[in-house]
Amino acid sequence: MKAEAASACPATSDITPAVLAIGQPEFARTLIATLRRVAGVGHCMVFSFAGERSARCLLDIGNIPIGAELGAAYSDHFHFADPNRDAIFRKQAIGRPIVLPAFARRMYGDKYRKIFFEDSGIVDKLAAAVWVGQTCFYVNFYRTMSQGRFASDEVERLRTVAPSVSAAVARHFQHEPVSPDDPDRTLKALFASGAPFARLTGRERAVCLRIVSGLSSEAISADLGISPHSTLTYRKRAYGKLGISSQNELFAIVLRLLAARSMN
């Protein structure tokens, strides 16, 4: 029986599909599918640190409905309260992937715990990080209440593949083509930094970004994995916060901000 289990482990822990998807549009979907097969991961989020005061959400995929909001909140200011930060920055010079300590709720402050675990339904987490030059790629693997905590064998497999996964993630985002003339990237940057959009939650920004990109309500719902009713609700809330009532007015805000950026 032990021999059979040992021989099954390499196949179970094979992350080849994710590695082969590096640099491809399907990387995120392939990564979460691979993580689910390997260790039953429900959701994956990737952040980058380019200095101790800067955090950015690079990837948010899986079964947490408010993942986009959590990513935005973490990037805005909650990264300062993450207890894993100390270990990540302390080990910046080691030159190899870092598997962070096992999850324990007591590690986190009350407000952080409420927002990132209780309100989101997250019951377990494992994380890894890797530094590439002066940039850190921080990969988080989650399980939700409907799934329960990771089983001991899932934890073992996940800790085994976490260094390779973090390296694959770093390679993907490190070499992701970045063009200042890429309209999608420009719009994402605008929604992330434009003053009017700072009033919106992560999900409200995501809906508005897709409206400006030309997606229908049905396409937005499918892209974000939410119901059409939720899409309309987020749109209505966003329009209210922006003081507008139509898609044309949203376009006008975006065009004004783009014009201002082009003059700087």
Side-chain angles (χ1 to χ4, degrees):
M1 291 294 288
K2 289 183 179 179
E4 291 178 6
S7 64
C9 186
T12 304
S13 300
D14 184 9
I15 65 162
T16 299
V19 173
L20 293 177
I22 290 172
Q24 303 301 317
E26 65 272 15
F27 176 76
R29 293 190 298 273
T30 304
L31 176 65
I32 191 63
T34 300
L35 292 171
R36 284 173 174 164
R37 173 177 53 78
V38 169
V41 173
H43 199 96
C44 179
M45 297 187 77
V46 176
F47 297 93
S48 66
F49 297 127
E52 294 195 25
R53 303 195 64 81
S54 173
R56 178 185 171 204
C57 184
L58 301 177
L59 184 147
D60 160 47
I61 189 165
N63 61 355
I64 300 174
I66 62 170
E69 295 177 29
L70 296 179
Y74 185 91
S75 299
D76 287 345
H77 58 274
F78 275 98
H79 62 97
F80 292 114
D82 185 350
N84 282 333
R85 275 173 51 92
D86 289 342
I88 289 172
F89 282 94
R90 188 171 61 248
K91 297 180 179 180
Q92 181 173 357
I94 68 172
R96 60 181 184 275
I98 308 158
V99 179
L100 282 305
F103 168 76
R105 284 180 178 267
R106 64 179 179 276
M107 295 166 55
Y108 300 87
D110 292 344
K111 189 172 183 180
Y112 191 109
R113 189 166 56 242
K114 183 179 188 305
I115 293 173
F116 288 90
F117 297 107
E118 295 169 9
D119 292 351
S120 63
I122 294 172
V123 296
D124 209 353
K125 167 186 172 178
L126 195 141
V130 62
W131 285 90
V132 180
Q134 297 302 306
T135 301
C136 177
F137 297 90
Y138 176 36
V139 190
N140 295 265
F141 314 102
Y142 303 101
R143 288 271 288 225
T144 60
M145 192 176 298
S146 62
Q147 298 175 291
R149 301 198 64 174
F150 289 111
S152 58
D153 60 322
E154 291 172 330
V155 171
E156 183 178 352
R157 288 198 297 271
L158 194 51
R159 292 182 72 86
T160 298
V161 303
S164 299
V165 169
S166 59
V169 165
R171 177 57 62 91
H172 175 76
F173 287 106
Q174 183 187 13
H175 296 288
E176 190 177 32
V178 178
S179 168
D181 299 321
D182 180 350
D184 288 339
R185 187 169 294 279
T186 300
L187 281 176
K188 288 178 181 178
L190 193 70
F191 273 79
S193 60
F197 301 118
R199 307 169 195 162
L200 309 183
T201 66
R203 191 64 96 186
E204 289 163 357
R205 281 198 296 265
V207 168
C208 286
L209 172 61
R210 284 158 178 77
I211 290 172
V212 174
S213 299
L215 272 65
S216 66
S217 295
E218 292 76 12
I220 293 171
S221 300
D223 193 40
L224 294 177
I226 59 178
S227 70
H229 175 74
S230 294
T231 296
L232 294 175
T233 298
Y234 287 123
R235 185 182 70 185
K236 181 178 179 180
R237 291 177 183 171
Y239 282 9
K241 292 177 181 178
L242 294 171
I244 61 177
S245 58
S246 71
Q247 181 174 300
N248 286 341
E249 290 176 287
L250 178 62
F251 286 148
I253 292 175
V254 171
L255 290 172
R256 186 171 67 249
L257 291 173
L258 287 173
R261 291 184 67 163
S262 66
M263 295 174 63
N264 293 332

